Structures are given as C-alpha cells and as structure tokens.
Amino acid sequence: MNSSLERDFHAKERLLVIACGMIAREVLAVKSQAGLDHLDLTCLPADFHFHPDRIAPGIEAAVAKARADGFERILVGYGDCGTGGELDRVCERLGVSRIQGPHCFAFYQGLGRFEALGEDDMTSFYMTDFLCRQFEAFFIKPLGLDRYPELAKDYFGHYEKLVYLAQTDDPALDAVAERAAKLLNLAYERRATGYGDLTSALKHAADEVTAHA
C-alpha cells in the first residue's frame, strides 16, 4: 500500500476534531481520560475568540483540507462563538456537526446549568483555565492595561463579577483568576466545571466513528 492510500485508510478510521485553540488542552485531556485513541485534533488560532468573523471561513478551509487528507468523520470544536449563526450555516453546507451551545463557557458548565443561570450571569465575565494561563497575553497587553490600568473601568465597568470556570484543580490558576477579579474590581466566584459537555460531545462523536468502522 502506497503512502497516500495508507494515509487515506488511516483517516477513514478516525475522528478529526477541528477545534478552537482555546480548548486544545481540554480536548486532549478528554481524549486521554476517555481512551479515545482514534481521535485526532487540529486547531484554528485561539485569537479567533476576538475575531468571530474568521471562524466560519476558517472552519470551511480546515474541513476542505481534512477531506483532502481522507477524513470522513469531522467534529467542529466550537459553539456558535459569536458567529451569529454563520458557523451553523457552514456546518450544514459541509455536512459536519459542531459542539452544541453558544460558546465554551456554556458547554463547560453544561447547557442546562448555563441556561438556568442565564439571568444571574448576565453581568458576569467568564474565565477558563486557558484564559487564566493567557490572561496577560489575551487581556492585559492587548487592552493596554499594563500601561493604563485605569482603562479597566472602561472595558469591564458593565460587569459585576468574574466567574472562573475551572476545568482543573490548580491553585496557580485560581490565584490568577482571583488577581484578575481584584484588578478589574469585580466580585469573584469559582465554579468547578471540569470539562462539562465537551466530554459527552467527544465521546458521542468518537462512538459514531467506531459504530461505522
């Protein structure tokens, strides 16, 4: 069997997750914990979080490449993530599915719990493990808060509390989230969510690959 045929055969037996870079570590953690050895991962840039207009075109290009590489089973590792339904339209056109929910903040908590907390969380600023690790790079420096900390009120004045959705139990990340709340002058709440609906979404998609193998 030549290398091209070997690649295509390999890809047909596997699930490819095309995910936001913000959840890459979490996808790999679920893969390891659940023994999803036939799951592969590729990611779009994490900073698409700030540019939702780039998500749908990015997914379209990534799916085209994946199919050229022989992948038949593809899961889009995004919620709507601010695309205003455009990602769903692209997914429908391409015949792929995505993780259910408006964004990772919802599926980490579980959609039912997220919806139940909707009114109470209207003025909450969410952080995750990724955003704790990247707080300087994603918020402090791009917003100029390292040079002009007084701008925090302008950027975050409409929030009332910072909610840290913790995927893991890491005191160092807890400390970052607590410092962020103080910096932004927000009340602080920690919610231990684990990986939430991400786990069930990946398991379900992986099981479908196994069932059709």
Side-chain angles (χ1 to χ4, degrees):
M1 186 180 293
N2 64 40
S3 59
S4 177
L5 290 175
E6 288 176 347
R7 180 200 66 195
D8 289 348
F9 178 78
H10 169 84
K12 287 180 181 180
E13 299 297 313
R14 302 186 68 79
L15 167 70
L16 179 66
V17 179
I18 304 174
C20 170
M22 287 178 58
I23 68 168
R25 183 188 294 249
E26 289 70 29
V27 170
L28 293 176
V30 172
K31 173 182 176 176
S32 176
Q33 291 176 5
L36 305 179
D37 297 331
H38 55 299
L39 183 155
D40 292 327
L41 172 68
T42 188
C43 291
L44 299 186
D47 66 2
F48 280 16
H49 176 77
F50 296 120
H51 306 282
D53 59 302
R54 300 179 187 177
I55 295 173
I59 287 294
E60 187 157 17
V63 169
K65 181 180 184 304
R67 286 194 167 142
D69 289 340
F71 286 96
E72 296 180 353
R73 305 287 177 176
I74 297 169
L75 176 68
V76 174
Y78 278 88
D80 177 75
C81 296
T83 70
E86 184 59 26
L87 181 57
D88 282 334
R89 289 186 282 274
V90 166
C91 288
E92 183 177 4
R93 186 169 71 250
L94 298 177
V96 297
S97 60
R98 68 166 175 86
I99 299 174
Q100 293 302 302
H103 39 59
C104 66
F105 308 126
F107 63 68
Y108 277 148
Q109 296 184 86
L111 294 185
R113 186 181 184 197
F114 172 75
E115 290 171 358
L117 292 169
E119 288 297 324
D120 290 338
D121 275 5
M122 286 294 290
T123 57
S124 295
F125 176 70
Y126 289 125
M127 289 186 68
T128 62
D129 283 12
F130 174 89
L131 291 174
C132 285
R133 292 188 183 96
Q134 301 295 329
F135 187 65
E136 291 283 331
F138 260 60
F139 295 106
I140 297 297
K141 292 181 179 178
L143 296 177
L145 297 178
D146 52 336
R147 292 166 291 135
Y148 307 104
E150 65 274 11
L151 291 176
K153 184 175 181 180
D154 295 326
Y155 289 126
F156 298 94
H158 57 294
Y159 293 108
E160 295 180 358
K161 65 180 174 179
L162 184 151
V163 177
Y164 170 31
L165 307 174
Q167 283 70 70
T168 57
D169 187 11
D170 186 333
L173 298 183
D174 292 345
V176 172
E178 290 175 8
R179 287 198 302 271
K182 290 179 181 177
L183 173 67
L184 304 178
N185 196 30
L186 300 175
Y188 178 69
E189 180 182 345
R190 183 186 191 274
R191 296 177 190 164
T193 66
Y195 304 115
D197 289 348
L198 178 63
T199 298
S200 58
L202 294 178
K203 284 183 176 179
H204 177 73
D207 286 348
E208 284 193 338
V209 172
T210 303
H212 290 86

